[in-house]
Short mmCIF file of all heavy atoms in Angstrom, two decimals:
data_model
loop_
_atom_site.label_atom_id
_atom_site.label_comp_id
_atom_site.label_asym_id
_atom_site.label_seq_id
_atom_site.Cartn_x
_atom_site.Cartn_y
_atom_site.Cartn_z
N PHE A 369 56.28 114.87 149.41
CA PHE A 369 57.04 115.91 150.11
C PHE A 369 56.87 115.64 151.60
O PHE A 369 55.79 115.86 152.17
CB PHE A 369 56.51 117.29 149.74
CG PHE A 369 56.61 117.59 148.26
CD1 PHE A 369 55.59 117.22 147.39
CD2 PHE A 369 57.72 118.24 147.74
CE1 PHE A 369 55.67 117.49 146.03
CE2 PHE A 369 57.81 118.51 146.38
CZ PHE A 369 56.79 118.13 145.53
N ILE A 370 57.93 115.17 152.24
CA ILE A 370 57.83 114.62 153.59
C ILE A 370 58.48 115.55 154.61
O ILE A 370 59.68 115.80 154.56
CB ILE A 370 58.51 113.23 153.66
CG1 ILE A 370 57.98 112.33 152.54
CG2 ILE A 370 58.29 112.60 155.01
CD1 ILE A 370 58.78 111.06 152.35
N GLU A 371 57.68 116.03 155.54
CA GLU A 371 58.22 116.90 156.58
C GLU A 371 58.99 116.11 157.63
O GLU A 371 60.01 116.57 158.14
CB GLU A 371 57.08 117.68 157.26
CG GLU A 371 56.46 118.74 156.36
CD GLU A 371 55.42 119.57 157.10
OE1 GLU A 371 55.49 119.64 158.35
OE2 GLU A 371 54.55 120.15 156.44
N GLU A 372 58.50 114.92 157.98
CA GLU A 372 59.17 114.18 159.04
C GLU A 372 59.04 112.66 158.93
O GLU A 372 60.05 111.95 158.97
CB GLU A 372 58.62 114.61 160.41
CG GLU A 372 59.28 113.87 161.56
CD GLU A 372 58.74 114.31 162.91
OE1 GLU A 372 58.20 115.43 163.01
OE2 GLU A 372 58.85 113.52 163.86
N ASP A 373 57.83 112.17 158.78
CA ASP A 373 57.59 110.73 158.89
C ASP A 373 57.91 110.00 157.58
O ASP A 373 57.01 109.63 156.81
CB ASP A 373 56.15 110.47 159.31
CG ASP A 373 55.93 109.04 159.79
OD1 ASP A 373 56.85 108.22 159.61
OD2 ASP A 373 54.86 108.76 160.35
N ILE A 374 59.18 109.77 157.34
CA ILE A 374 59.61 109.08 156.13
C ILE A 374 59.14 107.63 156.16
O ILE A 374 58.62 107.10 155.17
CB ILE A 374 61.14 109.14 155.98
CG1 ILE A 374 61.59 110.60 155.88
CG2 ILE A 374 61.61 108.34 154.76
CD1 ILE A 374 63.10 110.79 155.96
N GLY A 375 59.31 106.99 157.30
CA GLY A 375 58.91 105.59 157.44
C GLY A 375 57.43 105.39 157.20
O GLY A 375 57.02 104.46 156.48
N GLY A 376 56.60 106.26 157.78
CA GLY A 376 55.17 106.15 157.61
C GLY A 376 54.74 106.37 156.17
O GLY A 376 53.83 105.71 155.66
N THR A 377 55.42 107.28 155.48
CA THR A 377 55.11 107.56 154.08
C THR A 377 55.45 106.37 153.20
O THR A 377 54.64 105.96 152.35
CB THR A 377 55.89 108.80 153.59
OG1 THR A 377 55.56 109.92 154.42
CG2 THR A 377 55.56 109.11 152.14
N VAL A 378 56.63 105.81 153.39
CA VAL A 378 57.04 104.64 152.60
C VAL A 378 56.12 103.46 152.87
O VAL A 378 55.73 102.73 151.96
CB VAL A 378 58.51 104.27 152.89
CG1 VAL A 378 58.89 102.94 152.25
CG2 VAL A 378 59.44 105.38 152.39
N ASN A 379 55.75 103.28 154.12
CA ASN A 379 54.83 102.18 154.47
C ASN A 379 53.46 102.37 153.80
O ASN A 379 52.85 101.39 153.34
CB ASN A 379 54.65 102.10 155.99
CG ASN A 379 55.90 101.57 156.69
OD1 ASN A 379 56.76 100.95 156.06
ND2 ASN A 379 56.02 101.85 157.98
N SER A 380 52.99 103.60 153.75
CA SER A 380 51.70 103.88 153.11
C SER A 380 51.76 103.55 151.61
O SER A 380 50.84 102.95 151.06
CB SER A 380 51.31 105.35 153.29
OG SER A 380 50.99 105.62 154.64
N TRP A 381 52.85 103.95 150.97
CA TRP A 381 53.01 103.66 149.54
C TRP A 381 53.10 102.16 149.29
O TRP A 381 52.44 101.64 148.39
CB TRP A 381 54.24 104.36 148.99
CG TRP A 381 54.57 103.96 147.58
CD1 TRP A 381 55.59 103.17 147.15
CD2 TRP A 381 53.83 104.32 146.40
NE1 TRP A 381 55.55 103.01 145.79
CE2 TRP A 381 54.48 103.71 145.30
CE3 TRP A 381 52.69 105.09 146.16
CZ2 TRP A 381 54.03 103.85 143.99
CZ3 TRP A 381 52.25 105.24 144.85
CH2 TRP A 381 52.91 104.62 143.80
N ASN A 382 53.89 101.48 150.07
CA ASN A 382 54.06 100.03 149.89
C ASN A 382 52.74 99.28 150.09
O ASN A 382 52.42 98.34 149.35
CB ASN A 382 55.12 99.49 150.85
CG ASN A 382 56.52 99.91 150.46
OD1 ASN A 382 56.77 100.28 149.31
ND2 ASN A 382 57.45 99.88 151.41
#
Side-chain angles (χ1 to χ4, degrees):
F369 300 87
I370 309 168
E371 290 185 23
E372 180 179 338
D373 195 350
I374 299 171
T377 302
V378 171
N379 289 340
S380 290
W381 172 253
N382 288 339

